[in-house]
Amino acid sequence: MAQYARGSTVAVIRLCNPPVNALSRAVLQALEDGLKKADADPSVKAVMICGENGKFSAGADIRGFSSPERSGGALGPIVSLIESSEKPVVAAIEGVALGGGLEVALGCHYRIAHMKARMGLPEVTIGLLPGAEGTQRLPRLIGVPAALEMITTGKHIPATEALKLGLVDEIVEENTIEAAIRLANKVIGQPLGPRRLSLKPVPKLPNMEAFLDKALVKVKKQAWGCLAPELCFQAVRAATERPFAEGVRRERELFQVLLSSGQAQALQYAFFAERAVRRWATPSGASWSSAAPQPVRKAAVIGLGTMGRGIVTCLVKANIPLVALEQDLENLNKGRKAVMVLLEREAMKMEGGAQTLDFHNPARLQFTVDFDQLRDVDLVIEAVFENMALKKEIFHKLSKICKPGALLCTNTSALNIDEIASATNHPQQVIGTHFFSPAHVMRLLEIIYGRHTSPTAIATAMQLAKALKKVGVVVGNCFGFVGNRMMFPYIQQAVFLLEEGSRPEAVDQVLEDFGFKIGPFRMSDLAGLDVGWRSRKDQGLTGPSLPAGTPARQRHGQRYSPLPDLLCEQGRFGQKTGRGWYQYEKAGGRTATPDPWLLNFLSQYRDTHGIKTRFIDQEEILERCLFSLINEGFAILAEGIASGPEHLDVIYINGYGWPKHRGGPMFYASTVGLPRVLAKLQKYSEAHPDVPGLRPSAFLKKLVAVGNPPLKEWMSYLSQQSSKL
Ligand SMILES: CC/C=C\C/C=C/C(=O)SCCNC(=O)CCNC(=O)[C@H](O)C(C)(C)COP(=O)(O)OP(=O)(O)OC[C@H]1O[C@@H](n2cnc3c(N)ncnc32)[C@H](O)[C@@H]1OP(=O)(O)O
């Protein structure tokens, strides 16, 4: 767990816990033993600490925080032990030094890093703070502003920046270990007092109080309901106000608050869930372990509307040579201009970084209206209008033009992948790649396999997600797939709540207070109400194809709200028209204000349909919206559309603005308790028997019946026979 080796004068302690040398209890014990051994050996004059396999350490073992015998607790005293050593200790940082790993390095008297190493204190991202005295040492070393930035954001910094900040003493391009041993030999006999960070004062700022007050406002604004950033701030503030030992005591208190907050558990669950979904599997037995991806040397994007432009930007950023195709020159030129604006913006953001964007070179980014240019591409992403006939026509063409092995991806948010694939001769190469808008920003890529999609196609799409720095989640084919399918009942409840007496701003407020970045009505206005309207027309739910005599508020015997259709009929499409559920300063405006017209309209609507307006409290708003979404999640799991609750949670956190510190909808359900979710759904379903979305799913009922097992055991209750629940 940590190897100890003695050279002529320098003892080497190597942290060994693959793959990232996490500081488990065993590693910490071995580190402590090594330090004591070096101290006791008079022939050892200095110590060097490094990590196995070119990685210093990714910090405390995160799994240890939820086990009764926590691994993190012992770390602070060990960091102190390193610092108090009478023999110089040098950290040789390769790969990563994160969290507790960096705190170990901060206890060392010298730090030397490889050029390509990254450092950071990302504890905040898993709901914690650097609880091994890092909040007290780092400000002493690099000053309060830089330390605060690193600790409250958790961002990783490259070695070059670490050197500028004074976080490391030296960076090297070649052998870090040899350089560290050389440094250790050089500093033997030099006084250690000035190298002990706990003895240094925190560098003063002329306006520390004012600086901290301003910083706190920023931290709170960015925290969005998450506790950790503010408590990280408080720990650093303690470093500016108290002596080291008292600051450490404060840090420990704050750490305990976070550890027991529930948010830390949710964020740590989200960390592992994101990694778990990489290990995809389908009900037919295909999986990540046996399927190998095809190389993507050249790609194509069809359609340069909003989605296509974002997708082109992602591919260029991933350095994949690309052909961008539009149906005619007018649309091509419009699309090209918009893409260039996006790419210029991205290039500016990357300025000064190691990577540059090569998008003026036609060999890397080519614009065309000629399908023949797609003959040699390895992968095509179709991103045209959401229309089945159009998509089938394109896939038919692609099937004829593209080379036999090319992967054919459709960017659809709901359409049937099998039907699209039926237009080709190679259905095994057709796959859904559902990007989220703006496609160059949002992290989620929902990857949808059809009946014939090959394991190679899935593996290639997952590989693409990785290359685009996105989180790929593999799901089955059904209307709306996972994300939108769960979203439908949520939006439906939000609209029903308006019918019954609520207002858009009241519903949005409740969900934004819960932690969503944006409530359902603001979100619909942003996305455009016409998108759903078009889809409902295609489904025959509204518009000319609706059979005469259909009751206004019923479809197929179920409750239906025509409210969104009525708004669209008035030309209220949301932000783009300056009016939707809210009013905006102008068409394309972004500032939503409640619209008196809408209140009046709702009141007339209720009169017309004989609906008695009632007061709806926050609890009902929250529960009806969230529990109906979660209920659909259980149905999706039972049908085998997703292989575990983690998939649903990762989708919601990365694609739908679900607050990460609540761990995703299914994790949230597990924290509320499934019996409570079930009881509430039963209550609302009795009150609204014509709303299937409120009728508890059979899988949820089963999980409650078997005693509300922990989330990680849920799927084991779906036996082959019961998967038709
Ligand atoms: C009383 C106070 C005590 C202590 C205070 C200290 C607290 C801490 O140190 S908390 C931990 C802080 N560190 C982190 O948050 C780093 C988390 N890890 C990462 O960011 C990344 O894993 C990485 C940058 C280190 C590597 O990225 P990548 O190369 O993409 O690999 P993976 O992310 O897939 O990771 C590989 C593998 O390792 C597991 N893992 C990573 N870090 C940890 C960790 N700190 N503890 C436990 N396990 C870790 C990760 O889950 C992957 O495994 P699986 O694929 O099996 O999930």
Side-chain angles (χ1 to χ4, degrees):
M1 286 286 152
Q3 291 161 355
Y4 180 86
R6 218 201 53 190
S8 56
T9 47
V10 179
V12 173
I13 302 176
R14 193 180 297 271
L15 309 169
C16 314
N17 186 13
V20 293
N21 299 327
L23 303 170
S24 61
R25 284 175 74 83
V27 173
L28 292 181
Q29 188 58 58
L31 174 58
E32 187 178 346
D33 293 347
L35 288 165
K36 288 184 174 158
K37 210 164 168 182
D39 185 46
D41 184 342
S43 69
V44 170
K45 306 292 180 206
V47 180
M48 193 270 283
I49 303 179
C50 61
E52 193 185 40
N53 285 335
K55 290 181 186 119
F56 190 75
S57 167
D61 183 344
I62 300 173
R63 287 187 206 277
F65 290 119
S66 48
S67 87
E69 298 189 336
R70 286 196 296 108
S71 59
L75 186 55
I78 291 178
V79 175
S80 289
L81 186 70
I82 296 171
E83 194 191 75
S84 61
S85 164
E86 292 304 330
K87 301 175 182 178
V89 186
V90 178
I93 301 173
E94 297 175 298
V96 286
L98 298 173
L102 185 57
E103 289 176 295
V104 164
L106 289 172
C108 297
H109 306 112
Y110 297 88
R111 285 158 293 281
I112 187 163
H114 189 267
M115 276 276 284
K116 293 200 173 138
R118 284 184 292 141
M119 281 149 263
L121 293 173
E123 287 87 340
V124 68
T125 62
I126 51 165
L128 296 174
L129 55 76
E133 308 178 0
T135 64
Q136 306 304 300
R137 280 198 178 82
L138 191 65
R140 285 173 162 81
L141 181 62
I142 64 172
V144 174
L148 207 49
E149 170 75 7
M150 277 183 75
I151 293 172
T152 59
T153 64
K155 76 173 185 193
H156 300 182
I157 60 165
T160 43
E161 194 181 334
L163 183 68
K164 279 190 208 143
L165 289 173
L167 178 53
V168 295
D169 301 292
E170 203 181 316
I171 56 176
V172 293
E173 282 183 45
E174 299 295 326
N175 193 321
T176 318
I177 306 297
E178 281 174 12
I181 292 177
R182 269 199 306 276
L183 177 65
N185 275 309
K186 195 171 116 192
V187 296
I188 289 169
Q190 289 186 15
L192 289 175
R195 307 298 308 181
R196 293 191 172 112
L197 296 180
S198 68
L199 304 180
K200 277 170 84 92
V202 172
K204 294 239 174 315
L205 285 179
N207 51 356
M208 183 69 89
E209 267 313 298
F211 168 81
L212 287 173
D213 290 346
K214 209 167 147 197
L216 177 59
V217 173
K218 187 174 157 205
V219 166
K220 278 189 173 167
K221 199 169 156 203
Q222 288 170 354
W224 219 274
C226 191
L227 274 178
E230 192 174 337
L231 269 60
C232 282
F233 171 89
Q234 287 180 24
V236 175
R237 173 168 250 166
T240 68
E241 293 168 344
R242 306 174 187 208
F244 185 82
E246 275 184 42
V248 167
R249 265 197 293 282
R250 180 70 182 136
E251 181 194 271
R252 280 191 194 139
E253 281 166 21
L254 293 167
F255 186 85
Q256 287 308 321
V257 172
L258 287 175
L259 197 61
S260 53
S261 68
Q263 292 196 357
Q265 268 177 309
L267 287 161
Q268 288 160 30
Y269 161 82
F271 174 86
F272 288 114
E274 193 171 314
R275 282 148 184 86
V277 299
R278 292 180 198 156
R279 293 185 278 272
W280 59 270
T282 69
S284 65
S287 89
W288 66 282
S289 60
S290 51
Q294 291 175 176
V296 177
R297 296 188 192 91
K298 188 171 179 186
V301 173
I302 302 181
L304 294 176
T306 313
M307 292 309 292
R309 294 166 194 176
I311 298 169
V312 168
T313 306
C314 294
L315 288 159
V316 172
K317 280 178 74 180
N319 220 2
I320 299 175
L322 185 66
V323 183
L325 183 137
E326 252 297 352
Q327 55 178 335
D328 56 41
L329 281 174
E330 192 188 334
N331 281 303
L332 185 75
N333 288 333
K334 210 166 131 197
R336 185 207 315 252
K337 264 192 208 144
V339 164
M340 288 302 163
V341 170
L342 285 180
L343 286 170
E344 297 287 357
R345 240 182 254 158
E346 292 300 308
M348 261 162 53
K349 279 192 221 157
M350 288 161 63
E351 227 160 70
Q355 204 200 335
T356 51
L357 282 188
D358 185 10
F359 56 93
H360 293 295
N361 176 355
R364 306 212 52 97
L365 175 59
Q366 178 196 348
F367 289 88
T368 186
V369 289
D370 178 5
F371 264 85
D372 264 351
Q373 302 295 324
L374 309 191
R375 284 192 186 282
D376 63 341
V377 301
D378 302 303
L379 175 147
V380 183
I381 303 174
E382 162 279 308
V384 304
F385 208 54
E386 196 75 332
N387 176 289
M388 181 56 88
L390 177 61
K391 291 201 186 242
K392 281 171 86 169
E393 187 189 318
I394 290 174
F395 273 75
H396 182 66
K397 236 182 210 174
L398 290 175
S399 171
K400 286 190 175 155
I401 289 171
C402 292
K403 62 186 183 190
L407 187 66
L408 308 179
C409 311
T410 171
N411 175 55
T412 168
S413 58
L415 297 181
N416 188 336
I417 305 299
D418 291 330
E419 192 176 342
I420 296 173
S422 71
T424 75
N425 297 327
H426 320 289
Q428 71 280 7
Q429 274 144 240
V430 177
I431 192 160
T433 46
H434 179 196
F435 287 80
F436 289 71
S437 182
H440 59 297
V441 176
M442 297 293 286
R443 286 189 80 216
L444 179 64
L445 184 64
E446 214 178 12
I447 294 172
I448 308 105
Y449 58 87
R451 196 176 315 138
H452 303 289
T453 308
S454 70
T456 306
I458 303 176
T460 308
M462 279 298 272
Q463 181 74 16
L464 177 74
K466 192 173 170 197
L468 302 185
K469 298 202 167 67
K470 294 195 183 292
V471 191
V473 186
V474 175
V475 300
N477 184 23
C478 62
F479 187 69
F481 317 129
V482 164
N484 283 346
R485 179 168 158 186
M486 288 169 75
M487 182 64 22
F488 297 141
Y490 166 87
I491 298 284
Q492 192 185 49
Q493 285 306 311
V495 175
F496 288 165
L497 288 162
L498 289 198
E499 285 192 329
E500 292 164 35
S502 199
R503 288 168 294 118
E505 55 277 22
V507 175
D508 280 347
Q509 194 60 54
V510 168
L511 289 150
E512 286 164 18
D513 287 349
F514 175 78
F516 275 99
K517 297 252 156 60
I518 182 166
F521 292 109
R522 264 186 258 276
M523 183 179 72
S524 302
D525 273 0
L526 174 69
L529 301 187
D530 51 325
V531 181
W533 192 34
R534 207 178 304 122
S535 160
R536 289 190 296 279
K537 280 198 261 188
D538 287 348
Q539 293 172 63
L541 294 169
T542 189
S545 57
L546 186 68
T550 307
R553 298 180 55 235
Q554 230 186 49
R555 299 290 183 273
H556 313 298
Q558 298 169 6
R559 180 169 166 188
Y560 177 84
S561 174
L563 273 174
D565 303 332
L566 296 172
L567 255 58
C568 288
E569 284 166 20
Q570 303 267 344
R572 297 178 71 106
F573 291 169
Q575 286 190 5
K576 61 175 91 161
T577 56
R579 299 265 185 281
W581 295 110
Y582 291 91
Q583 58 180 337
Y584 297 84
E585 64 279 21
K586 57 175 191 245
R590 301 208 164 180
T591 317
T593 45
D595 189 347
W597 178 91
L598 189 91
L599 284 193
N600 189 34
F601 171 75
L602 285 175
S603 147
Q604 279 177 14
Y605 174 87
R606 291 183 199 117
D607 288 346
T608 308
H609 295 287
I611 304 168
K612 202 161 169 278
T613 306
R614 67 183 180 92
F615 171 74
I616 302 171
D617 65 17
Q618 298 182 354
E619 184 176 288
E620 180 172 347
I621 293 175
L622 191 70
E623 290 175 347
R624 278 179 57 187
C625 291
L626 295 190
F627 291 178
S628 56
L629 177 152
I630 288 165
N631 195 36
E632 195 64 40
F634 281 110
I636 285 172
L637 292 178
E639 286 170 27
I641 295 291
S643 48
E646 294 86 354
H647 290 62
L648 280 47
D649 287 335
V650 171
I651 286 175
Y652 262 78
I653 289 170
N654 293 287
Y656 292 84
W658 181 281
K660 199 171 184 177
H661 60 270
R662 293 193 188 264
M666 306 318 279
F667 181 86
Y668 175 68
S670 76
T671 62
V672 170
L674 301 191
R676 183 179 161 86
V677 175
L678 175 62
K680 288 301 182 110
L681 280 168
Q682 272 160 343
K683 175 182 136 184
Y684 293 126
S685 178
E686 274 161 30
H688 306 278
D690 52 354
V691 181
L694 291 171
R695 230 168 277 153
S697 105
F699 186 34
L700 170 61
K701 284 197 219 162
K702 177 167 184 176
L703 289 174
V704 173
V706 296
N708 187 24
L711 178 143
K712 56 175 180 294
E713 289 173 20
W714 289 358
M715 297 312 279
S716 67
Y717 290 91
L718 269 183
S719 59
Q720 286 299 351
Q721 302 94 296
S722 65
S723 67
K724 298 234 172 345
L725 280 169

